[in-house]
Amino acid sequence: MTSTSPVSYKLAIPENDLQALKSKLAATRFPDELEGVQWDYGVPLADMKRLVRYWQDGYDWRRHETHINETFPQFTIDIEVDGFGVLNIHHVHQRSKNEHAIPLLFSHGWPGHFMEAAKIIPLLTNPPSGAPAFHVVAWSLPGFGFSDAPKKPGFNMAKMAEAGHKLMLALGYSEYVVQGGDWGSSISRQVARLYGGKHCKAVHVNMLSMAPIQPSKNPLLWLQHISTPFSEEEKRMVARTNMFRDKGLGYFHEQSSQPQTLSYGLADSPVGLLAWVYEKLHNWTDNYPFTDDEILDWISVYWFSKAGPGASLRIYYENLRTNPLENGRHEPIYSVPIGFSIFPQELVYVSKANRLLVGNLVYESSHSAGGHFAAFERPEDLVGDLREFHGIGGKAYGVVKGLTGYADD
Amino acid sequence: MATSNTDQAFKISVSESQIHELKVKLDLIRFPDELEDAGWAYGSPLKDVQRLVAYWKSGYSWREHEKHINDTLPQFTKDISVDGFGTLNIHFVHQKSSVQNAIPLLFVHGWPGSFLEVTKILPLLTAASKQYPSFHVVALSLPGYGFSEAPKQKGFGLFQYAEVCNKLMIELGYTEYVAQGGDWGYYITRALGHKFSKNCRAVHSNMPRGSPPKFIHNPVLFLQHALVPYSEAEKAGFARSAWFLGPGFGYRQQQSTQPQTLGYSLSDSPAGLLAWIYEKLRNWTDDYRWTDDEILTWVSIYWFSRAGPAATTRIYYEVETAKERDIITKPINNIPLGFSYFPRELVVTPRSWARTLGNVVFESTHASGGHFAAHEKPTILVDDIRQMFGKGGPANHVIPHKSGFDHGLKAKL
């Protein structure tokens, strides 16, 4: 059903799809495994066997589906993206009771999804007194979750930003703020680059991908960067960055170059998809104690996604085939205030000197725990930062005209 | 299985339950979407994979190909002990020539290849002739591939694969032999040359590597390299190498770091395995016209392999972790080396770079052909091998009393 106004939506995976999944799970053929390797070679076999058995016999998707439907108001809406026609965009839209709440667009990444916002939505929309309130829009990116996928090549960061921006306009938010990690961070920054000042009024991210400082371009900054010693904490984060670069980028290279080849196994094999995503849930978080239900809830969004799991991989290809240094994705942003929350187990550490190239980076907050999926792992920390950034006395206080987040405007 | 020093004759016989399991999975296949007009830009095209899956489901007969392989390739298994890894049962093809003094030759495949790659060159190498030498040929399934057992512990690297190869040849009575390989076969034969040159007396490869000569190690080569411009073929090769080391490298990054994670979808999804391998069969060859039967047979060897497809990817992890590519780049100077250059190999190494690999006595450059030389260009590859080892060749008589010719036909030295 196409519509330029939001249409109420409830997840309702067809019973046939659930049965098909069960048939596949029953037919799972497992690989062998070397002795005693634990996580060295990838996801351990014992974990996969346990999860597949549970997925087949005990796990209840309908429980999770019902929970999402009852807890989070979901909608779909048609958004026209230049050159790509109409994409039907699925999203959660939770308004605060506070009419002056700040409209905020939360963008997930890969292998994230719209329900990464599940824990922060109630905190943002229903704060204690003294803290600002937000109206939260948590969308499924095009190609992810229950949104349409683009059908043609070239749906790059600018297009993602266009879709997100037009979504907010279509929901009646001419001015809004953005938040994201992973691809959501890049999308949020691109929204600020393209629509900052007039529409997008502030950016908050929990991850930064930056070009390294080039001595030829920024000689003084480069000197500063190489001559400033790292703290113990920074050294740990740099070590993690190096590990990620050396051992953690296989998925990144394959998805940037041959996403279609990879997509057959992920679309066809539940355990294949489970392993591919679960590895990131394990390696990218700060020892987050995922329950089996949480893992399967998460992977099920990919398994049952509207366009299939393969479509989600293409965000890498569309954005990494051209050099970010040339496609503008690392240009500094000066039009709006930028806030950055630093979590110790994030994948990529950006030095203080390098952060000077972000642009108008006016708020930073460091934490002692938490990893890549900050909204899911450390919701109070992330929300605390957003409240500081956007609240009274914060660097992004009152950026949206008339919507400060407080009751008595 | 009882360990045995003797060869067991072997015929591939995939069980009915495995065939049935595959059929069940093919019936349950769920395909991904695809962008409009994507062609090959994003990877294996959907229509190709769907066509191959449909044929695999009904039309393609594994039993027919299984029988053909068994009828064509004389196969055996043998227990080989590997220091620190126990005993591995190794599957191999062994075809003796009618020429008594034939040169024993070990053919080593790579990934995603198999012992099947020897099929076309086998009758050529073992043929008897007055003009060119004949060979006794052994083509093993590497541990973890085809119908060989896989190692169970970590750390099974190039020198372990080489140990298996060397012990196999010795136990077959070939205390001296020559080796030929591409892909992992190149790296494993390098390890053979480094560690077992008492037995492995010469190496030929169709995938030479090497780095630019450094003055400190190879002053003469360095000067040659500095003064002699790259040929047109070498320059064209740089573009090919750049493709492989850039957008063509994803599979290797994954297999070198998280092979187990990838292994679940390769083991569980026939379409996933098919797409993963098919992409290489197309991108790594020089416009080779694969038939659907060829593709499905190659993939079926992986699908029905004794240890499963995941085991085949671990060699990338082991070699990367132990940095063994660097180790085997050191020159081998005490045995002759030969290289055949094909323009669509993955990395087209300039000759001056490959000469840093040691005692290079034979070089041959071709105008066509890719990574799977034995399968794409069998006569050309065999011609090169015959030239290298035949009368007047630079590695002629590298094994005393094994000239490749019958008694009474002494090689002209």
Side-chain angles (χ1 to χ4, degrees), chain A residues 24 27 29 32 35 41 43 45 151 251 254 258 260-261 264 267-269 279 303 314 317-318, chain B residues 25 28 30 33 36 41-42 44-46 152 154 251 254 260-261 264 267-269 279 303 314 318:
Chain A
K24 280 179 163 299
R29 189 175 78 151
D32 69 336
E35 291 167 6
Y41 289 68
V43 184
L45 184 58
K151 294 195 176 8
Y251 82 100
E254 184 65 13
Q258 323 278 358
Q260 189 70 22
T261 297
Y264 295 93
D268 186 46
S269 167
E279 186 211 274
W303 183 261
R314 292 193 287 263
Y317 186 101
E318 300 301 358
Chain B
K25 286 175 165 299
L28 292 173
R30 188 177 77 152
D33 75 335
E36 290 165 12
Y42 291 72
S44 298
L46 183 58
K152 296 189 177 19
K154 58 185 174 186
Y251 84 102
Q254 182 66 29
Q260 189 70 15
T261 298
Y264 294 96
S267 304
D268 188 48
S269 169
E279 183 213 279
W303 183 261
R314 287 179 200 131
E318 304 297 359

Side-chain angles (χ1 to χ4, degrees), chain B residues 105 113 136 201 205 214 224 242 246 250 267 289-290 303 328 349 384 409:
Chain B
L105 180 145
H136 302 309
R201 302 299 297 148
S205 177
K214 291 194 169 62
Q224 273 175 9
S267 304
R289 302 295 158 94
W290 295 92
W303 183 261
I328 57 94
T349 309
D384 282 356
L409 286 166

Side-chain angles (χ1 to χ4, degrees), chain A residues 265-330:
Chain A
L266 300 186
D268 186 46
S269 167
V271 71
L273 176 67
L274 173 61
W276 199 256
V277 174
Y278 175 54
E279 186 211 274
K280 306 314 179 199
L281 302 186
H282 176 271
N283 289 351
W284 293 4
T285 54
D286 188 2
N287 287 309
Y288 181 84
F290 281 97
T291 64
D292 287 357
D293 274 323
E294 281 178 311
I295 295 164
L296 294 175
D297 288 346
W298 194 298
I299 271 82
S300 292
V301 172
Y302 273 81
W303 183 261
F304 293 126
S305 58
K306 187 171 183 183
S312 70
L313 310 177
R314 292 193 287 263
I315 191 170
Y316 288 83
Y317 186 101
E318 300 301 358
N319 289 294
L320 293 162
R321 294 284 280 191
T322 54
N323 186 345
L325 289 171
E326 289 151 26
N327 67 19
R329 286 209 301 110
H330 288 314

Side-chain angles (χ1 to χ4, degrees), chain B residues 373-390:
Chain B
H375 193 72
E376 297 178 62
K377 301 289 177 187
T379 49
I380 290 178
L381 184 69
V382 169
D383 276 347
D384 282 356
I385 295 169
R386 286 169 176 170
Q387 271 183 58
M388 180 174 170
F389 293 103

